[in-house]
Amino acid sequence: MASCETKFPAQRKDELTTPPARSELILIRHAPAAAEGRLCGRSDVAIAEGPYPGLDDLRAMLARVPVVVSSPALRCRQTVELLWPGRAAPELDARLLEQDFGAWDGQLLAELPDLGRLSAEELAAHRPPGGESFDELCSRVAPALHALAERAQQGPLAVVCHAGVVRAALGLALKAPARGLAFEVAPLSLTRLRCYDGGFSIIAANWRPAA
């Protein structure tokens, strides 16, 4: 599969580690998955064994976020336990599951079709055999994100989810779903959105504390 990368100016750590403000929606990609080089969309794999650089900084930053919502996937639920040890089980929302890659799910990444010839719009519309397209993922995720944004107006809210869901949120913020595919989303990275009536603004994307 093709990947695109968008470069952004460096952001100071103190700008991004300030306590989350009211109206923030914090999207966290799960910890590295024990996928053994295979594509895992709906495959319910566990997270890989640590260590996880920067984990203490992440825990400190997120400790005061009162509400946590998670994809039902095992790797997301385990990430919640990793970041908020001892906290009650998270609220689960199946709309936050990763893209369904159909027949591609579980295949080695090196053996997946090369879609590099496609434009961003064509790539977003492409549906793996028996699966869903990125555009369809965005349509599934959008109502959940808007509902979470309304709740975030009362205080910051953290969501533990998948790379595809984070990209869908960024595409929603940019009002162009396909543009979300240009973002890299690393495991245990934070994407911070400010919520307002009718939309989002992007505070930070793919941020991780220094190791």
Side-chain angles (χ1 to χ4, degrees), residues 100-177:
D100 184 351
F101 293 109
W104 293 355
D105 208 320
Q107 289 192 22
L108 290 170
L109 296 174
E111 296 177 355
L112 293 173
D114 181 6
L115 302 180
R117 66 188 184 281
L118 300 182
S119 67
E121 289 72 21
E122 291 170 332
L123 184 60
H126 188 276
R127 182 186 298 112
E132 66 179 342
S133 68
F134 181 74
D135 281 340
E136 290 169 330
L137 165 68
C138 292
S139 296
R140 164 166 59 83
V141 167
L145 292 175
H146 283 301
L148 292 169
E150 290 184 9
R151 294 170 61 183
Q153 299 293 326
Q154 306 304 315
L157 190 152
V159 179
V160 179
C161 55
H162 307 268
V165 175
V166 176
R167 292 186 178 107
L170 290 165
L172 187 64
L174 295 169
K175 303 186 184 306

Side-chain angles (χ1 to χ4, degrees), residues 19-32:
R22 183 171 178 172
S23 81
E24 276 196 39
L25 189 62
I26 305 168
L27 304 174
I28 306 160
R29 187 185 176 189
H30 57 77

Side-chain angles (χ1 to χ4, degrees), residues 2 6 10 14 18 36 48 51 53-54 57 64 66 88 92 144 151 156-157 160 173 180 182 184-186 192 204 207:
T6 299
D14 61 344
T18 53
E36 300 179 345
D57 285 340
R64 286 179 282 179
L92 303 180
R151 294 170 61 183
L157 190 152
V160 179
E184 292 198 355
V185 184
R192 297 173 64 175
W207 178 82

Side-chain angles (χ1 to χ4, degrees), residues 3 22 33 39 63 96 128 138 143 152 175 181 183 188 208 211:
S3 63
R22 183 171 178 172
L39 180 65
L96 300 174
C138 292
K175 303 186 184 306
L181 291 171
F183 290 84
L188 284 179
R208 291 173 292 175

